[in-house]
Amino acid sequence: MISQLCIPEYIILAMLKSEKLIAQLEKRFDPAIAGSHTIAYVFNVTGDEGGIWLLQIDNGKCQFVPQKELPADPRIPCYITIDTRDLEMIVDGRMTAMTATLAGMLAIKGDMNLAMLLVPMLFESRLANCQS
């Protein structure tokens, strides 16, 4: 799925809160920053209406794939854990991903450098204001 597509509102209304937030992150994905990277991340969104996603980035495209449980694949170099409410504050622009990390609201397990790539690619992307 190409992440630049805006999702129709009637589909978003039927989604869980974490699904809506992940959809917003996917819309924000900046392929110019991703470049030719091939990386996988796990997003574990905890709390009410949480969920787990495998984020696959490959040659300028990204896809969030829902998971039933945390993948235990040693080839996945970075796991991100955040509460639904905290992710909502980041997506809404009320907090930065860096602030959430420093405050212990966003936990990173694995390669910190890969996690830092996500900041301009998803969280603070120039595409953050895409209209749906």
Side-chain angles (χ1 to χ4, degrees):
M1 169 190 259
I2 298 175
S3 63
Q4 307 303 333
L5 300 175
C6 292
I7 298 170
E9 190 170 341
Y10 68 89
I11 292 175
I12 291 177
L13 292 174
M15 296 174 157
L16 293 175
K17 183 182 280 190
S18 61
E19 291 173 321
K20 293 176 190 177
L21 296 170
I22 292 296
Q24 290 298 314
L25 288 179
E26 193 168 13
K27 267 187 355 189
R28 291 177 176 205
F29 176 72
D30 190 339
I33 293 173
S36 62
H37 289 289
T38 299
I39 311 168
Y41 298 86
V42 170
F43 271 74
N44 181 20
V45 183
T46 61
D48 291 339
E49 300 186 64
I52 302 167
W53 286 266
L54 175 65
L55 167 58
Q56 299 170 320
I57 297 173
D58 188 20
N59 290 315
K61 294 187 174 126
C62 87
Q63 181 177 19
F64 282 90
V65 181
Q67 305 291 298
K68 292 187 187 277
E69 57 187 41
L70 282 173
D73 188 337
R75 296 173 296 173
I76 300 172
C78 189
Y79 287 73
I80 310 287
T81 301
I82 187 165
D83 185 81
T84 307
R85 292 168 299 190
D86 299 329
L87 181 57
E88 183 176 31
M89 287 197 306
I90 293 170
V91 170
D92 290 347
R94 293 180 281 147
M95 177 172 46
T96 67
M98 187 63 69
T99 300
T101 303
L102 294 173
M105 301 163 125
L106 186 152
I108 299 163
K109 179 180 174 192
D111 191 324
M112 183 66 77
N113 290 324
L114 289 179
M116 294 302 293
L117 280 175
L118 289 176
V119 173
M121 208 180 322
L122 291 177
F123 294 116
E124 296 172 8
S125 164
R126 62 184 172 78
L127 303 172
N129 295 320
C130 173
Q131 299 298 313
S132 51

